[in-house]
Amino acid sequence: MTDTTTRTREGVDDAGLQSQFDATIEHGDRIEPRDWMPPGYRRTLVRQVAQHAHSEIIGMQPEGAWVGRAPSLRRKAILLAKVQDEAGHGLYLYSACETLGVSRGELTEKLLSGEQKYSSIFNYPALSYADVGTIGWLVDGAAICNQVPLCRTSYGPYGRAMIRICKEESFHQRQGFELLMTMMRGTDEQRAMVQESVDRFWWPALMMFGPPDADSPNSAQSMAWGIKRNSNDELRQRFVDMTVPQAEALGVRLPDPQLRWNPERGAHDFGQPDWAEFAQVVRGNGPCNAQRIAHRRKAHDEGAWVREAALAYAERQLRAQGGPA
Amino acid sequence: MSQQSPAARAPQTPESRETAQSHTAGEPRVRAEWPLYEVFVRGKRGLNHVHVGSLHAPDDEMALRHARDVYTRRNEGVSIWVVRSSDIAASSPDEKDPLFAPSGDKVYRHPTFYDIPADVPHM
Protein backbone atom coordinates (compact mmCIF):
# COMPACT_ATOMS: atom_id res chain seq x y z
CA MET A 1 0.00 0.00 0.00
CA THR A 2 2.78 2.42 0.92
CA ASP A 3 4.62 1.58 -2.29
CA THR A 4 1.57 2.30 -4.39
CA THR A 5 1.07 5.65 -2.72
CA THR A 6 4.67 6.68 -3.33
CA ARG A 7 4.55 5.60 -6.96
CA THR A 8 1.33 7.51 -7.54
CA ARG A 9 2.73 10.68 -6.08
CA GLU A 10 5.97 10.53 -8.00
CA GLY A 11 4.21 9.51 -11.22
CA VAL A 12 1.85 12.48 -11.23
CA ASP A 13 3.70 15.54 -12.49
CA ASP A 14 2.15 18.84 -13.50
CA ALA A 15 1.21 17.59 -16.96
CA GLY A 16 -0.48 14.58 -15.35
CA LEU A 17 -2.40 16.80 -12.95
CA GLN A 18 -3.45 19.07 -15.81
CA SER A 19 -4.71 16.15 -17.86
CA GLN A 20 -6.63 14.77 -14.87
CA PHE A 21 -8.22 18.20 -14.40
CA ASP A 22 -9.05 18.44 -18.13
CA ALA A 23 -10.61 14.98 -18.08
CA THR A 24 -12.80 15.91 -15.11
CA ILE A 25 -14.06 19.02 -16.93
CA GLU A 26 -14.48 17.04 -20.16
CA HIS A 27 -16.71 14.46 -18.42
CA GLY A 28 -18.83 17.23 -16.93
CA ASP A 29 -17.70 16.13 -13.45
CA ARG A 30 -17.20 18.67 -10.68
CA ILE A 31 -13.89 19.97 -9.39
CA GLU A 32 -13.76 19.80 -5.59
CA PRO A 33 -11.73 22.03 -3.22
CA ARG A 34 -8.72 19.83 -2.57
CA ASP A 35 -8.30 18.71 -6.21
CA TRP A 36 -5.40 20.12 -8.16
CA MET A 37 -6.56 23.01 -10.38
CA PRO A 38 -4.73 25.38 -12.73
CA PRO A 39 -3.81 28.66 -10.96
CA GLY A 40 -5.86 30.63 -13.51
CA TYR A 41 -8.96 28.53 -12.77
CA ARG A 42 -8.59 29.21 -9.06
CA ARG A 43 -7.97 32.93 -9.64
CA THR A 44 -10.97 33.28 -11.96
CA LEU A 45 -13.23 31.50 -9.48
CA VAL A 46 -12.05 33.55 -6.52
CA ARG A 47 -12.72 36.73 -8.50
CA GLN A 48 -16.15 35.62 -9.72
CA VAL A 49 -17.43 34.03 -6.49
CA ALA A 50 -16.13 36.94 -4.38
CA GLN A 51 -17.76 39.46 -6.70
CA HIS A 52 -20.98 37.48 -6.48
CA ALA A 53 -20.83 37.33 -2.66
CA HIS A 54 -20.06 41.05 -2.40
CA SER A 55 -23.04 41.79 -4.70
CA GLU A 56 -25.39 40.00 -2.32
CA ILE A 57 -24.04 41.91 0.67
CA ILE A 58 -24.02 45.35 -1.00
CA GLY A 59 -27.39 44.45 -2.55
CA MET A 60 -28.94 44.58 0.91
CA GLN A 61 -28.56 48.38 0.96
CA PRO A 62 -30.94 49.79 -1.67
CA GLU A 63 -33.88 47.76 -0.36
CA GLY A 64 -32.80 47.76 3.28
CA ALA A 65 -33.34 51.51 3.28
CA TRP A 66 -37.07 50.89 2.62
CA VAL A 67 -37.72 48.40 5.44
CA GLY A 68 -38.71 51.14 7.88
CA ARG A 69 -40.78 52.97 5.28
CA ALA A 70 -42.69 50.04 3.73
CA PRO A 71 -46.41 50.91 3.83
CA SER A 72 -47.74 47.98 5.92
CA LEU A 73 -46.59 45.39 8.42
CA ARG A 74 -47.03 42.73 5.72
CA ARG A 75 -44.74 44.60 3.31
CA LYS A 76 -42.18 45.27 6.06
CA ALA A 77 -42.07 41.59 7.01
CA ILE A 78 -41.64 40.53 3.36
CA LEU A 79 -38.88 43.06 2.74
CA LEU A 80 -37.08 42.16 5.94
CA ALA A 81 -37.15 38.46 4.97
CA LYS A 82 -35.84 39.30 1.54
CA VAL A 83 -32.98 41.44 2.81
CA GLN A 84 -32.12 38.70 5.32
CA ASP A 85 -31.99 36.23 2.41
CA GLU A 86 -29.50 38.47 0.59
CA ALA A 87 -27.25 38.30 3.65
CA GLY A 88 -27.66 34.52 3.66
CA HIS A 89 -26.78 34.32 -0.03
CA GLY A 90 -23.66 36.37 0.58
CA LEU A 91 -22.67 33.95 3.34
CA TYR A 92 -23.23 30.82 1.19
CA LEU A 93 -20.97 32.37 -1.43
CA TYR A 94 -18.27 33.51 1.00
CA SER A 95 -18.30 29.95 2.34
CA ALA A 96 -17.78 28.60 -1.21
CA CYS A 97 -15.05 31.16 -1.91
CA GLU A 98 -13.18 30.25 1.27
CA THR A 99 -12.82 26.65 0.06
CA LEU A 100 -10.45 28.08 -2.58
CA GLY A 101 -7.92 29.07 0.08
CA VAL A 102 -8.82 32.71 0.71
CA SER A 103 -9.96 33.93 4.11
CA ARG A 104 -13.12 35.78 4.92
CA GLY A 105 -11.20 38.72 6.38
CA GLU A 106 -9.22 39.03 3.18
CA LEU A 107 -12.39 39.08 1.08
CA THR A 108 -13.93 41.79 3.26
CA GLU A 109 -10.77 43.89 2.98
CA LYS A 110 -10.76 43.54 -0.80
CA LEU A 111 -14.38 44.67 -1.03
CA LEU A 112 -13.73 47.70 1.17
CA SER A 113 -10.53 48.67 -0.68
CA GLY A 114 -12.27 48.36 -4.07
CA GLU A 115 -9.84 45.68 -5.22
CA GLN A 116 -12.78 43.31 -5.75
CA LYS A 117 -15.99 44.53 -7.38
CA TYR A 118 -19.69 43.91 -6.92
CA SER A 119 -22.51 44.07 -9.47
CA SER A 120 -22.84 47.59 -10.90
CA ILE A 121 -26.64 47.48 -10.51
CA PHE A 122 -26.33 48.22 -6.79
CA ASN A 123 -24.70 51.55 -7.52
CA TYR A 124 -28.10 52.83 -8.62
CA PRO A 125 -30.35 54.30 -5.92
CA ALA A 126 -33.78 53.02 -4.86
CA LEU A 127 -35.59 56.38 -5.01
CA SER A 128 -39.22 55.37 -4.60
CA TYR A 129 -41.07 52.53 -2.93
CA ALA A 130 -41.98 51.21 -6.41
CA ASP A 131 -38.24 50.52 -6.82
CA VAL A 132 -38.58 47.75 -4.23
CA GLY A 133 -40.98 46.02 -6.62
CA THR A 134 -38.90 46.75 -9.70
CA ILE A 135 -35.73 45.47 -8.07
CA GLY A 136 -37.51 42.21 -7.20
CA TRP A 137 -39.01 41.84 -10.66
CA LEU A 138 -36.20 43.02 -12.98
CA VAL A 139 -33.00 42.88 -10.93
CA ASP A 140 -33.75 39.56 -9.25
CA GLY A 141 -35.24 38.33 -12.53
CA ALA A 142 -31.96 39.08 -14.30
CA ALA A 143 -30.04 37.51 -11.41
CA ILE A 144 -32.11 34.32 -11.77
CA CYS A 145 -31.26 34.17 -15.51
CA ASN A 146 -27.58 34.44 -14.61
CA GLN A 147 -27.73 32.05 -11.68
CA VAL A 148 -29.78 29.10 -12.91
CA PRO A 149 -27.05 27.94 -15.35
CA LEU A 150 -24.44 28.45 -12.61
CA CYS A 151 -26.04 25.60 -10.63
CA ARG A 152 -24.15 23.39 -13.13
CA THR A 153 -20.85 25.28 -12.89
CA SER A 154 -17.74 23.09 -12.77
CA TYR A 155 -16.64 24.05 -9.25
CA GLY A 156 -18.63 21.95 -6.76
CA PRO A 157 -19.01 24.36 -3.82
CA TYR A 158 -20.03 27.25 -6.11
CA GLY A 159 -22.68 25.13 -7.85
CA ARG A 160 -24.08 23.91 -4.52
CA ALA A 161 -24.31 27.49 -3.20
CA MET A 162 -26.12 28.50 -6.40
CA ILE A 163 -28.69 25.72 -5.97
CA ARG A 164 -29.56 27.00 -2.49
CA ILE A 165 -29.73 30.57 -3.77
CA CYS A 166 -31.92 29.79 -6.78
CA LYS A 167 -34.48 28.05 -4.54
CA GLU A 168 -34.89 31.31 -2.63
CA GLU A 169 -34.69 33.81 -5.51
CA SER A 170 -38.07 32.84 -6.86
CA PHE A 171 -39.74 34.33 -3.76
CA HIS A 172 -37.76 37.53 -4.36
CA GLN A 173 -38.95 37.94 -7.91
CA ARG A 174 -42.56 37.04 -7.18
CA GLN A 175 -42.89 39.41 -4.23
CA GLY A 176 -41.58 42.23 -6.45
CA PHE A 177 -44.00 41.43 -9.25
CA GLU A 178 -46.91 41.18 -6.83
CA LEU A 179 -45.96 44.54 -5.29
CA LEU A 180 -45.97 46.18 -8.75
CA MET A 181 -49.26 44.50 -9.67
CA THR A 182 -50.83 45.91 -6.52
CA MET A 183 -49.60 49.40 -7.38
CA MET A 184 -50.81 49.08 -10.98
CA ARG A 185 -54.29 48.37 -9.63
CA GLY A 186 -54.09 51.58 -7.54
CA THR A 187 -54.25 55.26 -8.51
CA ASP A 188 -52.87 56.98 -11.63
CA GLU A 189 -50.14 58.40 -9.44
CA GLN A 190 -49.11 54.90 -8.30
CA ARG A 191 -49.12 53.62 -11.89
CA ALA A 192 -46.91 56.53 -12.90
CA MET A 193 -44.54 55.68 -10.05
CA VAL A 194 -44.21 52.11 -11.34
CA GLN A 195 -43.58 53.27 -14.92
CA GLU A 196 -40.97 55.80 -13.78
CA SER A 197 -39.22 53.10 -11.77
CA VAL A 198 -39.20 50.62 -14.66
CA ASP A 199 -37.83 53.37 -16.95
CA ARG A 200 -34.87 53.85 -14.60
CA PHE A 201 -34.09 50.18 -13.96
CA TRP A 202 -34.58 48.59 -17.38
CA TRP A 203 -31.20 49.49 -18.89
CA PRO A 204 -29.12 48.88 -15.75
CA ALA A 205 -30.86 45.46 -15.49
CA LEU A 206 -29.72 44.62 -19.04
CA MET A 207 -26.17 45.65 -18.07
CA MET A 208 -26.19 43.01 -15.31
CA PHE A 209 -25.28 40.38 -17.92
CA GLY A 210 -21.98 42.11 -18.58
CA PRO A 211 -20.54 43.62 -21.77
CA PRO A 212 -21.43 42.21 -25.22
CA ASP A 213 -19.65 38.93 -26.00
CA ALA A 214 -17.26 40.66 -28.41
CA ASP A 215 -16.00 42.89 -25.55
CA SER A 216 -15.83 40.20 -22.88
CA PRO A 217 -12.29 38.85 -23.18
CA ASN A 218 -12.41 36.37 -20.27
CA SER A 219 -15.68 34.71 -21.26
CA ALA A 220 -14.24 32.12 -23.65
CA GLN A 221 -11.79 30.77 -21.06
CA SER A 222 -14.49 30.73 -18.36
CA MET A 223 -16.75 28.76 -20.67
CA ALA A 224 -13.96 26.31 -21.59
CA TRP A 225 -13.44 25.70 -17.88
CA GLY A 226 -17.17 25.16 -17.36
CA ILE A 227 -17.32 28.05 -14.88
CA LYS A 228 -19.74 29.93 -17.13
CA ARG A 229 -22.32 27.94 -19.07
CA ASN A 230 -23.81 30.64 -21.35
CA SER A 231 -22.47 33.80 -22.94
CA ASN A 232 -23.49 37.28 -21.74
CA ASP A 233 -25.51 37.97 -24.90
CA GLU A 234 -27.35 34.62 -24.75
CA LEU A 235 -28.45 35.29 -21.18
CA ARG A 236 -29.45 38.89 -21.97
CA GLN A 237 -31.62 37.65 -24.84
CA ARG A 238 -33.22 35.03 -22.60
CA PHE A 239 -34.02 37.72 -20.01
CA VAL A 240 -35.61 40.07 -22.57
CA ASP A 241 -37.74 37.26 -24.02
CA MET A 242 -38.91 36.26 -20.53
CA THR A 243 -39.64 39.81 -19.41
CA VAL A 244 -41.67 41.18 -22.35
CA PRO A 245 -44.83 39.13 -21.61
CA GLN A 246 -44.47 39.90 -17.90
CA ALA A 247 -44.40 43.64 -18.69
CA GLU A 248 -47.56 43.20 -20.77
CA ALA A 249 -49.30 41.39 -17.92
CA LEU A 250 -48.31 44.22 -15.63
CA GLY A 251 -49.33 46.95 -18.08
CA VAL A 252 -46.00 48.79 -18.10
CA ARG A 253 -43.95 49.90 -21.09
CA LEU A 254 -40.31 48.83 -21.41
CA PRO A 255 -38.38 51.99 -22.42
CA ASP A 256 -36.77 50.65 -25.60
CA PRO A 257 -38.10 51.94 -28.96
CA GLN A 258 -36.23 49.15 -30.79
CA LEU A 259 -37.87 46.38 -28.79
CA ARG A 260 -39.98 44.15 -31.07
CA TRP A 261 -40.64 40.50 -31.79
CA ASN A 262 -38.56 39.10 -34.63
CA PRO A 263 -40.44 36.08 -36.04
CA GLU A 264 -37.43 34.99 -38.12
CA ARG A 265 -35.20 34.66 -35.07
CA GLY A 266 -38.05 33.57 -32.81
CA ALA A 267 -36.78 36.16 -30.32
CA HIS A 268 -37.07 39.84 -29.51
CA ASP A 269 -34.80 42.42 -31.11
CA PHE A 270 -33.78 45.10 -28.66
CA GLY A 271 -31.49 48.10 -28.25
CA GLN A 272 -28.10 48.18 -26.51
CA PRO A 273 -27.63 49.73 -23.10
CA ASP A 274 -25.31 52.72 -22.81
CA TRP A 275 -22.02 50.85 -22.43
CA ALA A 276 -20.12 54.07 -21.72
CA GLU A 277 -22.30 54.56 -18.65
CA PHE A 278 -21.67 50.94 -17.64
CA ALA A 279 -17.90 51.50 -17.87
CA GLN A 280 -18.21 54.63 -15.73
CA VAL A 281 -20.20 52.83 -13.03
CA VAL A 282 -17.75 49.90 -13.00
CA ARG A 283 -14.90 52.40 -12.70
CA GLY A 284 -16.48 53.78 -9.54
CA ASN A 285 -18.34 56.78 -10.91
CA GLY A 286 -21.92 55.56 -10.60
CA PRO A 287 -24.55 57.44 -8.60
CA CYS A 288 -23.98 55.48 -5.34
CA ASN A 289 -20.54 53.78 -5.50
CA ALA A 290 -18.97 55.87 -2.73
CA GLN A 291 -22.07 55.72 -0.55
CA ARG A 292 -22.36 51.91 -0.79
CA ILE A 293 -18.77 51.27 0.26
CA ALA A 294 -18.84 53.95 2.95
CA HIS A 295 -21.95 52.35 4.44
CA ARG A 296 -20.41 48.86 4.33
CA ARG A 297 -17.21 50.13 5.93
CA LYS A 298 -19.16 51.90 8.68
CA ALA A 299 -21.18 48.76 9.45
CA HIS A 300 -17.98 46.69 9.49
CA ASP A 301 -16.11 49.11 11.76
CA GLU A 302 -19.03 49.64 14.11
CA GLY A 303 -19.45 45.87 14.42
CA ALA A 304 -15.80 45.31 15.35
CA TRP A 305 -16.43 45.51 19.10
CA VAL A 306 -19.15 42.86 18.83
CA ARG A 307 -16.85 40.45 17.01
CA GLU A 308 -14.05 41.10 19.49
CA ALA A 309 -16.30 40.80 22.55
CA ALA A 310 -17.77 37.50 21.31
CA LEU A 311 -14.28 36.12 20.79
CA ALA A 312 -13.10 37.33 24.23
CA TYR A 313 -16.16 35.72 25.82
CA ALA A 314 -15.50 32.41 24.02
CA GLU A 315 -11.87 32.44 25.20
CA ARG A 316 -12.89 33.17 28.78
CA GLN A 317 -15.44 30.33 28.77
CA LEU A 318 -12.76 27.97 27.46
CA ARG A 319 -10.32 29.03 30.22
CA ALA A 320 -13.02 28.63 32.87
CA GLN A 321 -13.50 25.03 31.69
CA GLY A 322 -9.76 24.46 32.02
CA GLY A 323 -9.26 24.16 28.25
CA PRO A 324 -6.49 25.79 26.24
CA ALA A 325 -6.52 29.59 26.34
CA MET B 1 -3.63 7.47 5.02
CA SER B 2 -5.47 10.46 6.38
CA GLN B 3 -4.12 13.83 7.34
CA GLN B 4 -5.17 16.43 9.84
CA SER B 5 -6.52 19.28 7.74
CA PRO B 6 -9.60 21.40 7.34
CA ALA B 7 -12.27 19.29 5.73
CA ALA B 8 -12.77 19.50 2.03
CA ARG B 9 -10.97 22.76 1.53
CA ALA B 10 -7.79 23.94 -0.06
CA PRO B 11 -4.85 24.53 2.24
CA GLN B 12 -4.14 28.23 2.67
CA THR B 13 -1.33 29.16 0.38
CA PRO B 14 1.57 31.20 1.78
CA GLU B 15 0.62 33.77 -0.83
CA SER B 16 -2.89 34.23 0.55
CA ARG B 17 -1.64 34.49 4.13
CA GLU B 18 0.79 37.21 3.12
CA THR B 19 -1.99 39.20 1.49
CA ALA B 20 -4.09 38.94 4.62
CA GLN B 21 -1.23 40.23 6.71
CA SER B 22 -0.31 43.06 4.40
CA HIS B 23 -3.88 44.39 4.69
CA THR B 24 -3.77 44.51 8.45
CA ALA B 25 -0.16 45.70 8.68
CA GLY B 26 -0.99 49.38 9.03
CA GLU B 27 -3.46 48.85 11.88
CA PRO B 28 -2.74 49.11 15.58
CA ARG B 29 -4.28 45.79 16.66
CA VAL B 30 -4.15 42.35 15.14
CA ARG B 31 -7.58 41.44 13.94
CA ALA B 32 -8.55 37.96 15.05
CA GLU B 33 -11.00 36.17 12.80
CA TRP B 34 -13.67 33.92 14.28
CA PRO B 35 -12.81 30.27 13.62
CA LEU B 36 -14.40 28.42 10.73
CA TYR B 37 -17.07 25.78 11.36
CA GLU B 38 -18.50 23.19 8.97
CA VAL B 39 -22.29 22.82 9.14
CA PHE B 40 -24.25 19.57 8.75
CA VAL B 41 -28.06 19.52 8.59
CA ARG B 42 -30.50 16.62 8.95
CA GLY B 43 -33.21 17.47 6.41
CA LYS B 44 -35.89 15.39 8.11
CA ARG B 45 -36.22 12.43 10.43
CA GLY B 46 -34.84 9.28 8.83
CA LEU B 47 -32.12 11.07 6.83
CA ASN B 48 -28.42 11.51 7.58
CA HIS B 49 -26.91 14.84 8.44
CA VAL B 50 -25.47 16.29 5.23
CA HIS B 51 -22.73 18.89 4.84
CA VAL B 52 -24.30 22.19 3.70
CA GLY B 53 -21.47 24.72 4.00
CA SER B 54 -19.45 26.60 6.53
CA LEU B 55 -19.54 29.74 8.65
CA HIS B 56 -17.46 31.70 11.13
CA ALA B 57 -18.42 31.85 14.80
CA PRO B 58 -16.63 32.61 18.08
CA ASP B 59 -17.74 29.38 19.79
CA ASP B 60 -19.84 26.24 19.38
CA GLU B 61 -23.06 27.74 20.67
CA MET B 62 -22.89 30.78 18.41
CA ALA B 63 -21.96 28.50 15.50
CA LEU B 64 -25.23 26.60 16.05
CA ARG B 65 -27.24 29.80 16.26
CA HIS B 66 -25.66 31.22 13.12
CA ALA B 67 -26.13 27.90 11.31
CA ARG B 68 -29.83 28.02 12.15
CA ASP B 69 -30.15 31.52 10.64
CA VAL B 70 -27.94 30.96 7.61
CA TYR B 71 -28.84 27.41 6.57
CA THR B 72 -32.37 26.68 7.85
CA ARG B 73 -34.56 29.73 7.21
CA ARG B 74 -37.21 27.63 5.41
CA ASN B 75 -37.66 24.31 7.23
CA GLU B 76 -34.51 22.86 5.65
CA GLY B 77 -33.71 20.84 8.72
CA VAL B 78 -34.69 19.27 12.01
CA SER B 79 -31.19 18.96 13.49
CA ILE B 80 -27.84 20.72 13.03
CA TRP B 81 -24.27 19.64 13.74
CA VAL B 82 -21.39 22.12 13.70
CA VAL B 83 -17.74 21.18 13.96
CA ARG B 84 -14.57 23.22 13.81
CA SER B 85 -13.09 22.82 10.31
CA SER B 86 -9.67 22.32 11.86
CA ASP B 87 -10.97 19.27 13.78
CA ILE B 88 -11.87 17.28 10.67
CA ALA B 89 -9.42 14.72 9.31
CA ALA B 90 -9.85 14.15 5.58
CA SER B 91 -8.43 11.71 3.05
CA SER B 92 -6.13 13.36 0.57
CA PRO B 93 -7.11 13.55 -3.11
CA ASP B 94 -3.66 12.14 -4.15
CA GLU B 95 -4.50 8.95 -2.33
CA LYS B 96 -7.77 8.47 -4.17
CA ASP B 97 -6.60 5.40 -6.10
CA PRO B 98 -4.79 3.42 -3.40
CA LEU B 99 -7.49 4.28 -0.87
CA PHE B 100 -10.54 3.32 -2.88
CA ALA B 101 -9.31 0.99 -5.63
CA PRO B 102 -9.38 -2.31 -3.62
CA SER B 103 -13.17 -2.44 -3.47
CA GLY B 104 -13.31 -2.38 -7.28
CA ASP B 105 -11.21 -5.55 -7.75
CA LYS B 106 -13.07 -7.56 -5.12
CA VAL B 107 -15.92 -8.34 -7.48
CA TYR B 108 -17.08 -11.27 -5.32
CA ARG B 109 -18.36 -8.63 -2.86
CA HIS B 110 -21.14 -7.76 -5.29
CA PRO B 111 -24.32 -9.85 -5.70
CA THR B 112 -23.98 -9.93 -9.52
CA PHE B 113 -20.80 -12.05 -9.15
CA TYR B 114 -22.93 -15.13 -8.43
CA ASP B 115 -24.81 -16.97 -11.18
CA ILE B 116 -28.16 -18.20 -9.92
CA PRO B 117 -30.73 -19.90 -12.21
CA ALA B 118 -33.38 -17.42 -13.28
CA ASP B 119 -36.25 -19.60 -12.01
CA VAL B 120 -35.08 -19.50 -8.37
CA PRO B 121 -37.53 -17.09 -6.72
CA HIS B 122 -36.82 -14.18 -4.35
CA MET B 123 -33.01 -14.04 -4.92
Side-chain angles (χ1 to χ4, degrees):
Chain A
M1 190 65 105
T2 316
D3 281 349
T4 322
T5 311
T6 315
R7 265 206 309 282
T8 311
R9 275 186 181 149
E10 282 170 0
V12 177
D13 51 10
D14 266 13
L17 290 167
Q18 177 74 51
S19 68
Q20 261 178 28
F21 173 87
D22 293 342
T24 305
I25 299 283
E26 179 75 19
H27 290 146
D29 276 348
R30 300 293 191 266
I31 303 295
E32 293 295 341
R34 300 178 72 222
D35 292 340
W36 182 90
M37 57 188 90
Y41 179 82
R42 186 186 299 274
R43 240 187 347 261
T44 302
L45 270 171
V46 168
R47 195 189 61 222
Q48 180 169 333
V49 180
Q51 170 163 341
H52 202 154
H54 298 329
S55 300
E56 300 283 355
I57 297 300
I58 297 292
M60 295 165 75
Q61 291 185 34
E63 289 172 288
W66 283 95
V67 172
R69 291 179 284 171
S72 67
L73 189 56
R74 177 176 179 271
R75 295 290 175 189
K76 279 187 175 60
I78 291 170
L79 192 51
L80 200 58
K82 190 193 173 219
V83 174
Q84 190 193 17
D85 274 353
E86 310 292 0
H89 296 178
L91 293 175
Y92 303 157
L93 288 160
Y94 282 131
S95 161
C97 200
E98 283 182 280
T99 65
L100 291 158
V102 292
S103 79
R104 178 72 166 282
E106 210 178 317
L107 293 169
T108 305
E109 284 300 325
K110 286 183 176 175
L111 167 65
L112 294 179
S113 71
E115 192 181 332
Q116 287 172 343
K117 306 277 184 214
Y118 53 88
S119 175
S120 59
I121 190 78
F122 302 115
N123 290 317
Y124 291 88
L127 298 175
S128 79
Y129 178 67
D131 288 359
V132 172
T134 310
I135 289 171
W137 174 42
L138 293 181
V139 175
D140 292 310
I144 290 171
C145 269
N146 264 329
Q147 289 170 347
V148 167
L150 287 174
C151 294
R152 294 181 297 111
T153 193
S154 61
Y155 186 59
Y158 189 28
R160 294 191 285 273
M162 291 319 309
I163 290 171
R164 304 183 76 81
I165 291 173
C166 285
K167 279 186 191 159
E168 299 180 352
E169 285 288 354
S170 168
F171 143 60
H172 295 183
Q173 195 190 18
R174 290 173 69 108
Q175 67 81 33
F177 194 81
E178 188 236 35
L179 191 163
L180 295 180
M181 262 185 359
T182 309
M183 288 186 76
M184 291 303 285
R185 283 196 299 261
T187 62
D188 283 347
E189 201 184 349
Q190 285 174 314
R191 275 187 286 276
M193 248 172 98
V194 172
Q195 184 63 57
E196 187 274 336
S197 173
V198 170
D199 288 347
R200 265 184 297 115
F201 272 95
W202 173 248
W203 294 111
L206 289 189
M207 294 177 196
M208 286 175 68
F209 299 93
D213 294 347
D215 304 323
S216 182
N218 301 322
S219 282
Q221 179 62 75
S222 278
M223 285 176 74
W225 275 330
I227 296 176
K228 273 179 86 152
R229 293 289 181 180
N230 303 89
S231 81
N232 296 353
D233 286 333
E234 271 169 42
L235 292 170
R236 195 169 4 251
Q237 178 75 58
R238 194 179 294 176
F239 173 69
V240 171
D241 291 338
M242 268 173 41
T243 306
V244 167
Q246 294 169 353
E248 277 166 20
L250 206 51
V252 295
R253 188 180 43 80
L254 298 174
D256 178 357
Q258 294 176 50
L259 182 66
R260 66 177 57 85
W261 177 251
N262 180 335
E264 278 168 38
R265 288 202 305 124
H268 291 88
D269 291 338
F270 57 97
Q272 286 292 309
D274 180 349
W275 292 115
E277 175 185 316
F278 176 73
Q280 279 299 315
V281 178
V282 170
R283 235 175 273 140
N285 303 321
C288 301
N289 296 57
Q291 181 191 333
R292 297 292 185 235
I293 289 296
H295 184 87
R296 183 71 195 90
R297 182 183 299 282
K298 181 166 174 277
H300 185 67
D301 290 347
E302 289 179 355
W305 74 270
V306 178
R307 296 191 295 276
E308 284 160 17
L311 204 56
Y313 176 79
E315 280 163 7
R316 203 178 64 189
Q317 292 298 104
L318 210 58
R319 272 200 303 277
Q321 289 162 19
Chain B
M1 207 80 271
S2 71
Q3 62 187 72
Q4 205 66 33
S5 72
R9 55 188 58 251
Q12 274 231 332
T13 59
E15 196 184 5
S16 66
R17 269 195 227 105
E18 244 165 62
T19 321
Q21 277 164 6
S22 69
H23 278 293
T24 51
E27 304 201 357
R29 59 165 190 277
V30 178
R31 204 173 316 168
E33 218 172 294
W34 287 350
L36 192 65
Y37 282 81
E38 301 297 328
V39 181
F40 301 80
V41 170
R42 184 198 294 285
K44 57 180 182 186
R45 289 176 173 278
L47 297 181
N48 290 319
H49 284 78
V50 173
H51 182 243
V52 292
S54 66
L55 49 75
H56 290 271
D59 58 28
D60 296 355
E61 193 194 333
M62 286 306 291
L64 274 176
R65 284 170 187 266
H66 288 170
R68 185 261 165 245
D69 287 345
V70 176
Y71 290 104
T72 63
R73 285 193 302 283
R74 290 182 175 80
N75 300 323
E76 290 92 338
V78 295
S79 163
I80 302 173
W81 289 347
V82 291
V83 60
R84 285 265 195 123
S85 305
S86 57
D87 286 343
I88 294 184
S91 67
S92 150
D94 316 342
E95 292 169 338
K96 195 167 57 184
D97 290 344
L99 191 59
F100 299 110
S103 59
D105 59 17
K106 294 184 174 65
V107 285
Y108 48 83
R109 286 183 167 176
H110 298 281
T112 46
F113 181 73
Y114 304 93
D115 281 331
I116 305 286
D119 53 359
V120 178
H122 307 304
M123 281 288 262

Short mmCIF file of all heavy atoms in Angstrom, two decimals, chain A residues 39 51 104 126 224 278 296:
data_model
loop_
_atom_site.label_atom_id
_atom_site.label_comp_id
_atom_site.label_asym_id
_atom_site.label_seq_id
_atom_site.Cartn_x
_atom_site.Cartn_y
_atom_site.Cartn_z
N PRO A 39 -3.75 27.40 -11.72
CA PRO A 39 -3.81 28.66 -10.96
C PRO A 39 -4.82 29.65 -11.55
O PRO A 39 -5.51 30.35 -10.81
CB PRO A 39 -2.39 29.21 -11.06
CG PRO A 39 -1.53 28.03 -11.35
CD PRO A 39 -2.37 27.04 -12.10
N GLN A 51 -16.96 38.38 -6.14
CA GLN A 51 -17.76 39.46 -6.70
C GLN A 51 -19.25 39.17 -6.50
O GLN A 51 -20.05 40.05 -6.16
CB GLN A 51 -17.45 39.62 -8.19
CG GLN A 51 -18.41 40.57 -8.89
CD GLN A 51 -17.89 41.05 -10.23
OE1 GLN A 51 -16.69 40.98 -10.51
NE2 GLN A 51 -18.77 41.55 -11.06
N ARG A 104 -11.99 34.87 4.90
CA ARG A 104 -13.12 35.78 4.92
C ARG A 104 -12.65 37.22 5.15
O ARG A 104 -13.13 38.16 4.51
CB ARG A 104 -14.07 35.32 6.01
CG ARG A 104 -15.27 36.17 6.22
CD ARG A 104 -16.26 36.02 5.10
NE ARG A 104 -17.49 36.62 5.57
CZ ARG A 104 -18.32 36.03 6.41
NH1 ARG A 104 -18.13 34.79 6.80
NH2 ARG A 104 -19.38 36.66 6.85
N ALA A 126 -32.36 53.38 -4.91
CA ALA A 126 -33.78 53.02 -4.86
C ALA A 126 -34.53 54.26 -4.38
O ALA A 126 -34.60 54.52 -3.18
CB ALA A 126 -34.01 51.84 -3.92
N ALA A 224 -14.75 27.53 -21.37
CA ALA A 224 -13.96 26.31 -21.59
C ALA A 224 -13.77 25.57 -20.27
O ALA A 224 -13.74 24.34 -20.23
CB ALA A 224 -12.61 26.67 -22.22
N PHE A 278 -22.06 52.16 -18.35
CA PHE A 278 -21.67 50.94 -17.64
C PHE A 278 -20.19 51.01 -17.21
O PHE A 278 -19.85 50.76 -16.06
CB PHE A 278 -21.91 49.73 -18.55
CG PHE A 278 -21.46 48.41 -17.98
CD1 PHE A 278 -22.17 47.81 -16.95
CD2 PHE A 278 -20.34 47.76 -18.48
CE1 PHE A 278 -21.78 46.58 -16.43
CE2 PHE A 278 -19.94 46.53 -17.96
CZ PHE A 278 -20.65 45.94 -16.94
N ARG A 296 -20.91 50.20 3.98
CA ARG A 296 -20.41 48.86 4.33
C ARG A 296 -19.24 48.97 5.32
O ARG A 296 -19.14 48.20 6.27
CB ARG A 296 -19.97 48.13 3.05
CG ARG A 296 -19.50 46.70 3.28
CD ARG A 296 -20.67 45.79 3.64
NE ARG A 296 -20.22 44.52 4.20
CZ ARG A 296 -20.02 44.29 5.49
NH1 ARG A 296 -20.24 45.24 6.38
NH2 ARG A 296 -19.61 43.12 5.92
#
